[in-house]
Structure formats: C-alpha cells, structure tokens
Amino acid sequence: MSTLTSPRQLPVAVIGAGPVGLAAAAHLLERAIEPLVLEAAPAVGANLLNYGHVPLFSPWRYNLDNAVARALSRHGWQSPDPDALPLAREVVERVLAPYVALDEVKAFVHCGHRVIAIARDGFDKVKSAGRSAAPFTLRVATKAGVSDMRARAVIDASGTWTTPNPLGANGLPARGEEGAAAQIHYGIPDVTGAAKQRYLGKRVLVVGAGHSAANALLSLAELADEDAGTRIAWALRGHSLERVFGGGAADALPARGRLGSQLRALQDAGRLQLVSDFRIASLVRRDGKLAVHGHGADAREKHIDGVDEIICATGQRPDLGITRELRLKLDPWLESTADLGPLIDPNLHSCGTVRPHGHRELSHPEAGFYTVGVKSYGRAPTFLMTTGFEQVRSVAAALAGDLEAADRVELVLPETGVCNSNLGDASGGCGVDASLPVEHDVTEPAAVAAEGCCRPAHPTTDPERELPVVSDVRATRGKPVPIRVEAKRCC
C-alpha cells in the first residue's frame, strides 16, 4: 500500500473486487494510476461465487472488460468463446482470479479488508472550505483490527448483493421475518446441487418477479420431477406476468429469452401455485411450517399456508451507511446516483433502454467520489455488467484528466427488440432486428432504441417524477449541452 502523503500521489481506492471493481483497477493501471482495491471477502468475486451455479444470460462478450482482457492476454491467456454462456463462478475462475494473480496486479488487491466508513481527511460532512483538496479517509476492518487508509479518490464498486430486500411489500422486513430466518434464503440457492436436501420433497415459496426468481423456480421444477413431494408456490406483488416472462424468442440475449419462455411453460402446465397481487405483511411459524399473510391491492387478506422454505428473490438495495459522512446526491426513491434515476426508473422504463453514461452522471457533490456498477443503479434491477465496464473506463479517464476519452461512449448494449413483451409475436414489435445488439449512436442526443414504438411516459405514470434537464456531452467533447431526456414507457 502506498505511504505517500501528497493527495495527488495517493492511490485511488476501489471498494470491491468483483468484475466492475477489478475492471476499474485495470483501467487505472493502464493510465499509470495506482489503485488500492479493498475487498471485504477472503477472495475476489465473492458475490458471483455466491450464485456460482447460475448460468449468466449474457454471453462472454458482455462479461469481459477490455482492459482486464488486455492485461491477461499479454501473459498468454486465451479469451473464452465470446458467444458462450458462462456460469457465474466461471467469470471468477477464468477471468478475475487469473487477473489478480498477475505480478503487476496482485500487490494492489487486498482481500479481507472491509470498508466500514469513508470521510474526508480532517473534514466532517458540514465543513466546506478546502474540502475538495483534502484526501479521503477510509476506515477499514481486517483480522488484525481497524485502521485508516487514505486515497486521492474513491470508486465504490461494492455492489448490492449482500444487502437483499426483505419480504415485506412496504420495504420493511415482514413481521416475523427475522424469527423465520432459518427457513428463508435470500438470493439464488443451489437448489439442484449443494442445497438439494434442503428443498427436496418440501413445499417451497418463491417470492419475486425477476431473473433470480425464475432461476429458482425452474430449478425447483427439476426437483419436482425427481420427487413429487416437492411443491412450488410463487408469490408476486403485481398482476401481470408479461414483464416477468420478457421478450422470449425476440430477446437479443437468447438465454434471457429462454428463461422467460421456460418459466411461462411451467406456469401454463400448472406445475406451480401462482399467487399474484400478494403483498406480504407477516410470517407466522406453526408446527415447523410458515404461514405467509398479506393482502392485495384491494386490501383483501391473502394467505399461503404450510410453507417449509422461502426463497426471497425480491432484489437488492445499496448499503448507504459507509458514506454517511460524504456529500452524495442520490435519487430520492431508487437510491441510485441522482442523474441516473430518471433514466433507469422501473416505474417508467420497461424497454431495457438506458442512455449511455459515464463519469459525469456517476459523480456526486463530493468531488473525487464515484459510485459505479450495480450500486450506481440503487434499487433499480436493470443493470448489465457491460454497463459497469463502460462506467469505470470513463471514470478512470476522468481521473487521469483525459476528458475527451471520459466523455466518449464506447458501449454497445444488447436490447430485447420488443416493447410490448408479446411473446406471440417474435418478430419484435418495434421493427428492431432482435438478433443484433442495438448500438447507441453517439451522435444522437438521446439514445433510445425503437423510437417509433416507445413514447414519452404519460404524466399519470408517475406524477412525482419530473423529467430532468441533463447535460449530454457525447457529441460535444466534454462541453455540456442542456437537453431534455424524456422518460419512456412501452406501448
């Protein structure tokens, strides 16, 4: 670790050694900036390893950062087939672990170092004069004790996987949830592998409407094929299944499309009990089983009884506690970086289009602090790993003073190619070729795919969400041009 004291000579702290955090380190090293990577877990890629058995729905081409790949290739590393689908653990085994083992990298990565707070050296949150010139202090817990480390800038890539949302529909843990913790798994358990005996022959309730829930449901269906005593219930807060099932054959990521199509087939075959419009309020333990109580939108009571195990796949939220002494600007309900909120708000967006963004949108009033990766999206569930790679490329360039590169867009995102989620029409309702990624044109001020199909959100969609005026710099070489980015919703 650096012992230099001049702020400009101090390292840039990177919190988290997952794929985005290590990509940040790689881009910093390419620009001769010393990174200080602090990982809470004993090894890199801990969040990916937690669900390492799960196949990612995006192929390798979207899960490899260019700077990491360049460093590995200099040592004879062979890139995986760009069109193959990795398991989550393979990203760690084939990319992250080999990268941190490189002689020019390993000295900068420190596992077992949990950041518990960040502040400005000598400044509390209130004091302003001279603040931006002061280095950051990171309070770090290790097996040896607690110490303070200093950095010229901080890139928070700590993710959200370890802070899952609770079962309660109001954002609080359901009454009785803590007491039932032994029968609840948050995330994606290895249902057909290490956790098989936990779920085999049991009545299992899956709560959630995203890809994590879909993976759990399909794995439970495999167990039910083996043991008819395995019974599956599925609870959703909403009414519609179309958004859950997704774009099907029209999805530019075929694995993501298949996931939704397989889930739909499971539901159509009557192989699970579906309880929609179910807002969980409390859990009660009776004779070793759980009774789940809640209500619908009409306030009528609903119940699911006789549950042995619950898989909570309701998403994650960012841990904001470590940044309490910093001046952050967050979206008031997504807890994302403020400028991203209107662009990714799931209340308004369902087309999967997110305007390309970089250091400007990811910055905060606290100069030199950036939130990147899935944490930058707060509670929004639409993040793709490749977006994080573009984020840190831009941030590293900005920290190096190369604003031309920092403001340039080098991102190609896969899109679904459909706006109405009508699985009966695999052609793609917006006239977009769903077999190809949609490349956002950097000469356009608002990169939204399928403009003819999607329209500006009706004001009644969310009357509290004002459409912001933001600075678009992609075609202006760093000179902000005020434009109005309208939130879109689908036809």
Side-chain angles (χ1 to χ4, degrees):
M1 301 180 195
S2 175
T3 59
L4 300 174
T5 57
S6 172
R8 294 299 300 174
Q9 293 176 304
L10 288 170
V12 172
V14 178
I15 306 175
V20 176
L22 291 178
H27 285 279
L28 290 170
L29 285 169
E30 284 195 338
R31 292 182 172 273
I33 298 174
E34 178 186 342
L36 172 64
V37 182
L38 302 171
E39 168 58 48
V44 301
N47 291 347
L48 284 170
L49 292 176
N50 184 264
Y51 57 97
H53 58 285
V54 177
L56 301 183
F57 54 66
S58 54
W60 273 111
R61 69 173 69 252
Y62 298 119
N63 298 309
L64 275 176
D65 172 72
N66 290 334
V68 171
R70 285 191 291 267
L72 286 167
S73 295
R74 289 194 293 269
H75 296 268
W77 174 82
Q78 296 297 311
S79 178
D81 178 354
D83 296 318
L85 295 171
L87 296 175
R89 69 169 179 265
E90 290 181 308
V91 176
V92 180
E93 295 167 351
R94 302 185 64 179
V95 179
L96 304 188
Y99 176 70
V100 298
L102 298 178
D103 288 339
E104 64 265 37
V105 176
K106 58 186 178 184
F108 302 112
V109 180
H110 306 275
C111 294
H113 284 58
R114 179 180 297 278
V115 176
I116 56 179
I118 313 169
R120 284 283 190 181
D121 194 10
F123 291 78
D124 65 18
K125 193 171 188 175
V126 176
K127 189 174 180 181
S128 296
R131 183 181 188 89
S132 62
F136 289 90
T137 295
L138 294 93
R139 184 149 294 171
V140 182
T142 69
K143 287 183 178 180
V146 176
S147 61
D148 287 348
M149 300 180 181
R150 301 168 78 230
R152 58 175 278 203
V154 177
I155 300 173
D156 185 357
S158 57
T160 60
W161 187 254
T162 57
T163 48
N165 289 326
L167 289 168
N170 59 6
L172 302 176
R175 295 188 306 277
E177 185 170 342
E178 291 95 338
Q183 291 167 267
I184 304 172
H185 181 95
Y186 298 87
I188 316 174
D190 190 359
V191 170
T192 59
K196 180 176 180 178
Q197 294 306 314
R198 177 172 179 172
Y199 299 103
L200 187 68
K202 304 289 182 63
R203 176 167 163 76
V204 186
L205 170 64
V206 178
V207 182
H211 296 105
S212 297
N215 272 294
L217 289 163
L218 293 172
S219 295
L220 287 167
E222 291 185 40
L223 284 194
D225 289 337
E226 183 177 336
D227 184 337
T230 305
R231 292 157 296 152
I232 311 168
W234 181 21
L236 299 173
R237 293 177 187 173
H239 286 281
S240 174
L241 296 177
E242 293 306 308
R243 187 169 181 178
V244 182
F245 294 147
D251 199 314
L253 295 177
R256 183 172 60 186
R258 283 194 300 272
L259 193 64
S261 298
Q262 290 168 352
L263 184 58
R264 182 168 196 160
L266 190 67
Q267 164 64 15
D268 290 346
R271 299 187 60 195
L272 53 81
Q273 175 195 0
L274 173 65
V275 183
S276 60
D277 185 29
F278 186 44
R279 304 172 188 200
I280 296 175
S282 65
L283 306 178
V284 178
R285 296 186 80 247
R286 295 172 183 158
D287 300 324
K289 295 184 182 293
L290 297 175
V292 185
H293 302 279
H295 56 82
D298 58 4
R300 292 185 182 182
E301 292 187 358
K302 294 189 174 188
H303 311 278
I304 302 176
D305 295 317
V307 174
D308 295 299
E309 295 282 347
I310 296 176
I311 297 173
C312 179
T314 56
Q316 295 80 35
R317 60 183 60 180
D319 175 10
L320 303 177
I322 65 173
T323 55
R324 184 173 183 180
E325 284 303 313
L326 298 182
R327 297 176 175 182
L328 304 191
K329 186 178 181 183
L330 302 174
D331 184 86
W333 49 84
L334 293 183
E335 297 178 337
S336 67
T337 303
D339 287 347
L340 289 185
L343 308 179
I344 62 176
D345 189 343
N347 295 296
L348 303 175
H349 294 264
S350 57
C351 293
T353 55
V354 176
R355 172 178 171 267
H357 56 275
H359 71 109
R360 296 182 187 273
E361 293 89 347
L362 299 168
S363 64
H364 292 277
E366 195 71 73
F369 181 85
Y370 299 89
T371 310
V372 300
V374 68
K375 190 171 184 178
S376 70
Y377 276 42
R379 301 191 185 201
T382 51
F383 180 79
L384 289 173
M385 199 183 298
T386 190
T387 302
F389 298 153
E390 171 68 0
Q391 289 179 339
V392 297
R393 182 204 62 78
S394 173
V395 168
L399 289 172
D402 186 354
L403 292 183
E404 180 177 349
D407 292 325
R408 188 169 60 239
V409 173
E410 298 181 7
L411 177 66
V412 178
L413 281 175
E415 304 289 355
T416 62
V418 293
C419 283
N420 58 14
S421 298
N422 180 3
L423 297 183
D425 177 15
S427 64
C430 295
V432 177
D433 183 353
S435 66
L436 298 173
V438 175
E439 181 171 358
H440 297 299
D441 187 344
V442 301
T443 64
E444 294 298 325
V448 179
E451 189 72 32
C453 180
C454 292
R455 59 179 181 271
H458 191 277
T460 59
T461 302
D462 195 332
E464 297 181 359
R465 172 70 81 187
E466 295 181 359
L467 301 179
V469 175
V470 299
S471 295
D472 188 289
V473 296
R474 285 168 293 157
T476 59
R477 298 297 185 187
K479 298 177 181 179
V481 177
I483 61 168
R484 182 166 292 276
V485 177
E486 294 187 344
K488 299 284 182 177
R489 74 176 176 89
C490 292
C491 311

